[in-house]
Structure formats: C-alpha cells, structure tokens
Amino acid sequence: MSDAPRPRNFLAEIVEADLAAGRNGGRVVTRFPPEPNGYLHIGHSKSILLNFGLARAYGGRTHLRFDDTNPVTEDTEYVEAIQEDVRWLGGDWGGHLYFASDFFDRMYACAERLVGEGLAYVDTQSQDAIREQRGSFDRPGVNSPFRDRPAAENLDLLRRMKAGEFPDGAAVLRAKIDMSHPNVLMRDPLLYRVRHARHHRTGDAWCIYPMYDFAHPLEDACEGVTHSICTLEFESNRELYDWVLDHTGPWDPRPRQYEFARLALGYTVMSKRKLLRLVNERRVSGWDDPRMPTVAGMRRRGVTPEALRDFADLIGVAKNNSLVDIGKLEFAIRADLERRSPRAMAVVHPLAVSIENWPAGKVEELDLPWWPGEPERGGSRKVPFGGELFIERDDFALDPPKDWKRLAPGREVRLAGAYVIRCDDVVRGPGGEVRALRCTYDPASRTGEGATRRAGGTLHWVHAHLSVPAEVRMYDRLFAVEQPDAEEDFIAALNPGSLAVAKGARVEPALRDALPGSRYQFLRQGYFFADPVDSVPGAPVWNRTITLKDTWSARAREAAAAPRRAREPRRDEPAATPAAPRRSRAEARAELRAANPALAARHAHYLSALRLPADDADLLAGDPATAAYFDAAVAAGARPATAAKWLLNDLAGLAGDRALAALPLDGAAFGRFAALVDAGRLTPAAAKTLLAELAAGGGDPEARMQALGLERREDAGALEAALEKALAAHAAEAARYRAGEKKLLGVLLGAVMREAGGAADAAQVRAALQKKLG
C-alpha cells in the first residue's frame, strides 16, 4: 500500500472495499484512455489526476492508452502532445503505454468468436435503415432482415470485410442482443465498421475498425485493468461494456466500469470539435493559445499543475453533473501563484511623470525585496528611481470620484518602496488629452527610513529611461457568457476583450533577463508568466495568467453603479470598447435575493430549517418561480432533499427551455411524485421513466405509475414468473453460470429485470436469482 494521501470520494470507497474483499488479487490498475484526435483540456486533467491519484494512493498503477480506433481523425501530433500534458500533470505510466491498435488482432479474434457462437452478425443495410430500426426510448426496435443469417455466412462476410471487399458504409458487424431492450444502446449495437483510411500506426494493414463500445472493454481486459473509470455520459454504456466482457472472457482480473461527473466549467467549452473549430477558424492562435482551456494553453498561460490539482481537490468527485463556477478554478490559481511569485513592478499603459524638484541627472538605486512583508524568504534587487518616471495611466484622474485613492491634481500618493509625490500640474495635448504630469516629491518621505508621511494610496512605477520595453499580453476569459454551449452558435459567445496586447509596456530592469517560464506578481496588476514560446534572451514576452482579484465581479458591481466615472481614454485603445462580460448566474441569483427579502428569507429557510446543501439552496432560491415550485412540492408531502434532487438533477433537464410553470406537471403533482419515491414505491429507473412521462403529458403521478406498470413489485409470484421466463430464454447462460462462470450473473440479472418490466427491486431480484441458480 502506498504512503500517498488517501482520496476521500465514492470511487476511493469502492477501491477500498475491493481490496478488503480480496478482489482482483489485491491489484488496483486504472487507465487514462484519450483518443488522439485533439489536445487535452482541463476536463481531461480531472480524469488524469483522479486515475493516477487513486492508483498511487493504493499501491497500484495507471496505464496511458490511446484509443486509436478512428484513423480519419487521429494523428501522431496529438499522441505526443497528450504524453507531454500527462507528464506535466505528474502522471507516470512507467512501461505501461498502450494503444488500442496493439490489440487489433485480439479484438478481431473476439469478433470471430461472437459470430461463431451466434452472438454477432453482419448487416449490409444502410446506416439510415439501421438507425430507424433501432427504435427509440418509447418505441421498441425492429429486427434486421439479416439478423438470422447462419453463423458460417456471417463469418465469411466478416472475413471479406477484413479483406477489403466492401466499401465504407456497405457492411457492419452487429452484436445480437435484444431489439426490444429498454436500453437503446443494447439493441444490436455496432461492433465493427468498414473504414478505408491509413492508420497512424498500422498503416493500411486494416480496413475495418472496432467501435468504441467494443474496443473499450476489450482493451481494459487485455491490459489487466481493474477499475475502468469513465465520465457519467458512459453510464448507459456500462451494460454493453459488461455484455462484451461476459461473452468474450473469462478475464482475470475482470474489469469493472464506474462513472463520475465530468467537469463542466463556466465560461468554457470542452468539446474537442468546438475547440478544433476555434483553431481552424483562427479565432485563437492554436491549441496552446493561453485563452484555450487545453492543458497546453493553460501551461503556456502560466497555470501550474499544482493549481489544477488544488482545483480538482476543491471541486471533488461527484456522481451528478453540474456546472462548476469558474471562480473556483481562478481561486485555486491565485492561491497557488501567491506563494510562488516574487513581486516586481511593471507599467502596462505608461503615463509620464516629471518630478520637478528632483536633483538633475541623479539616479537613486532602491534596494527592494522580492517578497515584501516576508523577510524570511530573503532576496532583493536594485530598482532605479529618478526625476522621470512612468505610472499607470489608469492611476490618474482629472476629476476623481469621492473615494479616489490614486493620483489627481493637487493630491498625493506614495510610490511603492520610494517617496510621496504630489501632482502640481497636468500637461495636455491639442485635443485636451492628458500627456504627462508634473509633480514634486518629499525627500523625507522615503519608505523604510522612519518616514511617517501618509498619502492617499500607493502606486507602482518604473524609471522612464532605465526601465525595459516589453510586450505584455492581457488575457481574459475566452467567452463572455457562463454557458457558451447554450448559445445558438457558441462563436457568438466569444469575449471580444479576451486578449489585449500592450506593446508599449515598461518593466523594471531586473526583469530584462527573466528566463522563459518565469513567474512574477506585477504589483497591483496580476500574475504574469514569461511566454515560453515567444520570449527571447533579454526580451521576455509576458502573459497575464490571472488578475489579483476577481475583476469580473468588480465589473458587475461597477455596471450596477450610477453614474459611472468617466475615464480618460488611452491613446492605444479603440474609440468603442466591448461591452462588459455578463454576470455569472450565481452572482445574478445573489443580487436578486439581495433585492427581494422574501426570496432571501426562503434561501435562509432552505439552509437552516430544511438543511439543504448550499448549492441546492442557491439554485432553488435563484428566482421566485423555482422557489414557489419547490415549496409546493414540499407542501404536497415530498421530503425536501428528495424534491431538491429530482427537481435540479432530472426535472430541470426534462424542462429544457420551458419554464417550470409551463410544464403539464405543477409543483404539487411533482411533490406527489417525489413522495412515491420516498415511500419506496418506485425503483430509480422506474422513477426516471415516470417523471419523463409526467413532464411530457402530465396527469396524476400515482395513476400514471399504475397505468404504466411501474410500481415496485413485491409480488413473490410475479417475481418467480419473471425468473422462470428469463432463465428459460437464457438456458445456456444459466448452465454456464452453474458450471462456474459467475460473471454471467449480470447477464441473467438484466434478463430478469427486463421480464419484470423494470419495476422490480434489483437487490431483491439478485438475491432471488442467486438462490434459484444455487
């Protein structure tokens, strides 16, 4: 067992239970299986950290495997980039680097075995015909006319597919399972398709390629993976995963699939297809553009792997999908950079300051610490101070507001680490724009020499002639809305202010020789990173990793304030500036409650009296209509926790763009549905089915449950009948189970559940089935 810290999440509990029971011979083998069709993004980083972290904590190992089963979209460029990203995040796969293509021969042998056993057949219909015959959630599928081909004929056709006799799309290999299966994915799914394309590793050796749902479990089994951890969208695929392994084994160890919630992050898209579009349309400079949510882009922006690990720990591992506030990521990045970034000074948009009473030609070298307030960390540098300086243009206002603590005519400020200065005069251009400031300084006010002189605020600065010109790239969020995927075209949600390049910036001399990859906090500006691609010796290019505080929240507050302060336009900015990004939904909900005492009281009631989780209380009290709907459900007899769970996790998705009030299911009826769940009268699967029916057509929940035959069945006679019928239909599997193939229990369990119509309790069915089989 490893000395690494033990994670605390439901997956860790599964691993610990397996180890305690002696399953898998005490082994823990996980894997990270990307498809090499693009660069990894921050969502993948969560999976990487989870898989490698679990194995490390329990003395196991993690494999890096490339699912290269689609030669059309895959490339060695992506293979190399993915390996670099995984290493950067701390993933160490040792000698366990695999490709799906390593197992093509074994996969094909499994396919021939399925055909020989009558469990797979070749279908030569069109893709449209196959798709139509599969049916839908509420309509069973129709058997293919080729479903009952003789095994010998199917085997001949499969070998001809492999030999290249069929063009793309002319034939597929399908599993023979059940075209009326309630899980549509189990309706004779595709196992192989014809694809005449050169593979990046196998060249032209193959012209048929396995489908993901066939390849994935076989790769896991061939590698000896014990815990196959996927994101939640693969939950419905688990039944097919088990079917493939159950009919191609025995396997030791026998992999098991588990699902967790994928990362959905505000102001971000995670689709590789959409990220590729951004690259191809030159909306960004490439996969490693610092605005991209790719691991390569975040690395180039200056985010550290430690920050991403802290973020993963902060959000945890969940069983239900939800949108993560991007503020949590930014919090983790700031906290990490705060402790690793020396302080320095840079002026991004310079405004000239002339100190009229400074001795002519004098340059004073100030010894300033890299870590102000932390003398134990040590280190300092010399910063030149003289009569000609630059300050930030935004740190001066001709007509300042009441609480202004920066420079203005007749006002004083302290220059960081130096002296107090006073603005005596303003030099203007022909159009009235501010060109320069004329100031005086107090010689007795130097910082650190017993000076007691106070000033309105403290500003950063650089020497006008001895500072270094620099290119500074001010990066911001790539999208201006919290959920760009919700837009009709996500391109329309791009933030036009996501990058502003300040080529006239100046930095203190000590930064001239900063190495690529160096990190600094520019005082009062943010955290900056010397670009590892475009920096050259003696001329680093600076990328802003993140601001010192959440400027988006500040913008939201400023937008709500009136009147707004007019600011002197900078010479390098366009006449019309882009609209400020919209508030996050969490901010909008908080502001709505602040303006609505009744809604705020409801929020407090949900937290204190109903003891709901903070996130649930925030969403339910996000607007009066949602709160009223939830309150009606609770008043109708639902437990608050149950009503909250089914409302936020299921009903909200079924509603889509419709308001809750527009559904044919009112709050009271929804509460009666939740009460049926609380009473144990519905299995989880049956509850999902019933809720979908109610959201679509309304009606009384109990009456609809009875009409659809969804009520949990406790009738021993009905269960016995379902057992008998299922075992008769799967006599061969039952015989193999009794002969020792215990892995077939899942197949038989699924058959009984189908016969019971999905309303039987799975635990009860399992116990009865095991007793029946002996």
Side-chain angles (χ1 to χ4, degrees):
M1 194 73 65
S2 170
D3 292 330
R6 299 285 178 81
R8 301 315 313 164
N9 55 62
F10 76 95
L11 292 170
E13 292 172 0
I14 290 171
V15 171
E16 290 179 2
D18 287 345
L19 291 173
R23 300 186 188 99
N24 306 315
R27 288 170 288 180
V28 177
V29 181
T30 63
R31 85 289 173 270
F32 175 63
E35 183 181 357
N37 63 350
Y39 280 58
L40 300 183
H41 53 62
I42 188 173
H44 294 114
S45 72
K46 178 182 177 182
S47 180
I48 292 167
L49 294 168
L50 175 60
N51 278 285
F52 280 91
L54 273 174
R56 187 182 303 116
Y58 294 100
R61 67 174 188 266
T62 301
H63 299 177
L64 175 60
R65 179 179 74 229
F66 290 95
D67 270 322
D68 55 343
T69 58
N70 185 357
V72 175
T73 61
E74 296 158 358
D75 195 275
T76 53
E77 173 195 352
Y78 301 135
V79 171
E80 294 166 0
I82 288 170
Q83 291 186 65
E84 181 181 2
D85 289 346
V86 175
R87 285 195 192 96
W88 180 75
L89 283 166
D92 181 6
W93 57 88
H96 296 281
L97 174 64
Y98 301 100
F99 292 80
S101 50
D102 293 336
F103 308 110
F104 278 176
D105 287 324
R106 295 182 69 178
M107 291 179 196
Y108 178 75
C110 289
E112 286 208 352
R113 173 180 164 182
L114 293 175
V115 170
E117 293 179 1
L119 295 173
Y121 62 97
V122 173
D123 198 332
T124 49
Q125 298 181 94
S126 69
Q127 293 181 16
D128 289 341
I130 292 173
R131 188 180 301 112
E132 175 60 28
Q133 289 169 1
R134 185 167 284 122
S136 62
F137 176 78
D138 56 358
R139 177 170 55 88
V142 177
N143 286 348
S144 164
F146 304 112
R147 196 172 194 267
D148 296 320
R149 290 186 200 264
E153 184 179 346
N154 280 316
L155 189 58
D156 176 66
L157 287 169
L158 176 61
R159 289 172 176 172
R160 289 169 59 193
M161 287 170 60
K162 180 176 180 289
E165 293 185 23
F166 290 92
D168 289 5
V172 293
L173 180 68
R174 299 178 68 180
K176 185 187 290 188
I177 304 179
D178 182 356
M179 289 302 291
S180 61
H181 199 290
N183 182 349
V184 177
L185 289 176
M186 296 294 285
R187 296 178 185 175
D188 290 11
L190 274 60
L191 304 182
Y192 268 89
R193 80 286 207 196
V194 179
R195 182 149 292 177
H196 292 272
R198 186 170 183 81
H199 191 278
H200 71 103
R201 292 186 76 237
T202 62
D204 296 322
W206 293 87
C207 63
I208 60 170
Y209 291 92
M211 305 299 292
Y212 173 84
D213 283 328
F214 184 61
H216 178 215
L218 293 178
E219 292 162 34
D220 285 347
C222 290
E223 292 177 33
V225 169
T226 60
H227 298 79
S228 181
I229 300 170
C230 304
T231 45
L232 204 58
E233 66 265 31
F234 292 102
E235 183 178 23
S236 58
N237 302 60
R238 190 198 320 151
E239 198 167 1
L240 180 53
Y241 180 98
D242 289 336
W243 185 93
V244 171
L245 293 180
D246 289 342
H247 292 87
T248 57
W251 303 101
D252 183 24
R254 200 280 197 185
R256 299 288 174 184
Q257 178 177 304
Y258 305 96
E259 305 87 22
F260 70 101
R262 70 184 302 174
L263 175 60
L265 189 64
Y267 298 95
T268 308
V269 297
M270 299 287 194
S271 161
K272 282 186 182 178
R273 177 181 57 81
K274 291 180 178 179
L275 295 177
L276 180 61
R277 181 179 170 191
L278 293 174
V279 173
N280 288 342
E281 293 183 3
R282 301 184 182 277
R283 308 279 181 175
V284 293
S285 62
W287 285 100
D288 68 342
D289 186 300
R291 293 167 293 177
M292 289 279 274
T294 56
V295 174
M298 301 191 80
R299 181 168 65 244
R300 186 172 176 185
R301 186 159 173 167
V303 176
T304 70
E306 291 81 5
L308 294 183
R309 283 199 287 272
D310 291 344
F311 171 60
D313 289 342
L314 182 64
I315 62 176
V317 180
K319 295 183 180 181
N320 297 309
N321 288 325
S322 61
L323 183 69
V324 175
D325 186 346
I326 196 172
K328 293 182 178 179
L329 171 62
E330 294 170 342
F331 171 83
I333 294 171
R334 288 190 184 97
D336 174 75
L337 295 178
E338 167 68 21
R339 57 180 179 259
R340 69 170 70 241
S341 303
R343 280 43 169 174
M345 289 193 289
V347 174
V348 178
H349 300 289
L351 175 62
V353 171
S354 174
I355 301 179
E356 301 296 305
N357 61 334
W358 184 263
K362 178 184 176 182
V363 174
E364 181 177 348
E365 285 197 328
L366 305 177
D367 190 54
L368 301 184
W370 287 117
W371 302 96
E374 299 181 80
E376 70 280 1
R377 301 191 67 166
S380 64
R381 79 283 190 196
K382 301 294 183 181
V383 182
F385 186 93
E388 301 294 330
L389 306 174
F390 287 128
I391 66 169
E392 202 69 51
R393 184 167 290 272
D394 281 347
D395 280 338
F396 175 79
L398 280 171
D399 182 19
K402 182 178 180 181
D403 59 348
W404 186 251
K405 294 183 179 180
R406 289 173 267 179
L407 202 55
R411 296 202 184 184
E412 293 183 338
V413 295
R414 176 173 292 280
L415 299 181
Y419 299 92
V420 172
I421 65 170
R422 173 189 175 87
C423 178
D424 299 316
D425 193 15
V426 179
V427 179
R428 297 175 180 250
E433 70 278 11
V434 175
R435 289 276 184 88
L437 306 178
R438 291 178 179 154
C439 301
T440 53
Y441 87 111
D442 178 357
S445 64
R446 178 171 165 177
T447 300
E449 293 191 347
T452 58
R453 181 76 176 274
R454 293 195 174 187
T458 301
L459 308 183
H460 60 280
W461 54 274
V462 295
H463 194 284
H465 307 301
L466 299 178
S467 59
V468 180
E471 179 177 323
V472 176
R473 298 166 179 173
M474 309 290 278
Y475 290 105
D476 212 330
R477 296 174 183 172
L478 184 57
F479 291 94
V481 298
E482 189 175 25
Q483 293 183 281
D485 280 332
E487 300 291 313
E488 185 174 345
D489 181 359
F490 78 104
I491 293 294
L494 284 167
N495 173 19
S498 63
L499 171 60
V501 180
K503 295 190 175 182
R506 310 282 296 198
V507 299
E508 62 172 86
L511 299 186
R512 182 197 309 271
D513 298 318
L515 296 175
S518 299
R519 293 180 176 84
Y520 290 89
Q521 182 196 114
F522 290 176
L523 287 181
R524 303 177 63 243
Q525 302 272 20
Y527 298 98
F528 288 78
F529 183 66
D531 188 280
V533 177
D534 294 335
S535 295
V536 297
V541 174
W542 297 97
N543 298 335
R544 184 174 69 186
T545 306
I546 198 166
T547 56
L548 290 178
K549 59 183 179 179
D550 184 358
T551 57
W552 283 52
S553 295
R555 288 178 207 172
R557 289 192 296 271
E558 183 178 298
R564 295 186 62 184
R565 176 178 59 86
R567 175 178 62 78
E568 284 286 330
R570 295 196 298 262
R571 285 172 291 176
D572 60 344
E573 74 180 12
T577 56
R582 304 178 199 175
R583 297 170 296 167
S584 73
R585 295 190 178 189
E587 291 169 345
R589 290 192 295 270
E591 290 185 14
L592 182 60
R593 286 195 293 271
N596 187 330
L599 201 57
R602 273 175 165 167
H603 180 245
H605 175 69
Y606 296 163
L607 289 170
S608 59
L610 302 188
R611 298 186 178 279
L612 293 178
D615 287 347
D616 288 1
D618 175 53
L619 291 168
L620 292 169
D623 67 85
T626 303
Y629 194 94
F630 172 74
D631 289 348
V634 173
R639 289 178 57 245
T642 304
K645 172 188 172 183
W646 284 91
L647 173 56
L648 297 175
N649 293 350
D650 293 85
L651 186 60
L654 293 169
D657 294 332
R658 293 176 295 172
L660 291 173
L663 295 176
L665 177 70
D666 63 22
F670 173 70
R672 294 195 296 277
F673 156 80
L676 293 172
V677 176
D678 287 333
R681 297 177 64 184
L682 289 163
T683 66
K688 287 180 180 289
T689 300
L690 177 58
L691 185 60
E693 292 288 337
L694 293 170
D700 177 69
E702 182 162 5
R704 293 287 286 153
M705 176 185 71
Q706 300 289 356
L708 294 167
L710 293 174
E711 185 169 12
R712 186 194 297 265
R713 294 178 184 169
E714 303 291 348
D715 185 343
L719 177 56
E720 180 67 21
L723 280 167
E724 293 291 349
K725 189 172 181 180
L727 291 177
H730 294 78
E733 288 86 350
R736 287 165 58 192
Y737 176 88
R738 291 188 175 101
E741 291 191 48
K742 302 303 182 184
K743 64 183 185 302
L744 292 174
L745 181 64
V747 175
L748 298 171
L749 178 62
V752 179
M753 291 294 290
R754 287 193 295 277
E755 291 296 339
D761 180 77
Q764 183 183 7
V765 171
R766 178 184 292 273
L769 181 60
Q770 288 176 317
K771 182 178 179 180
K772 189 82 172 176
L773 292 168

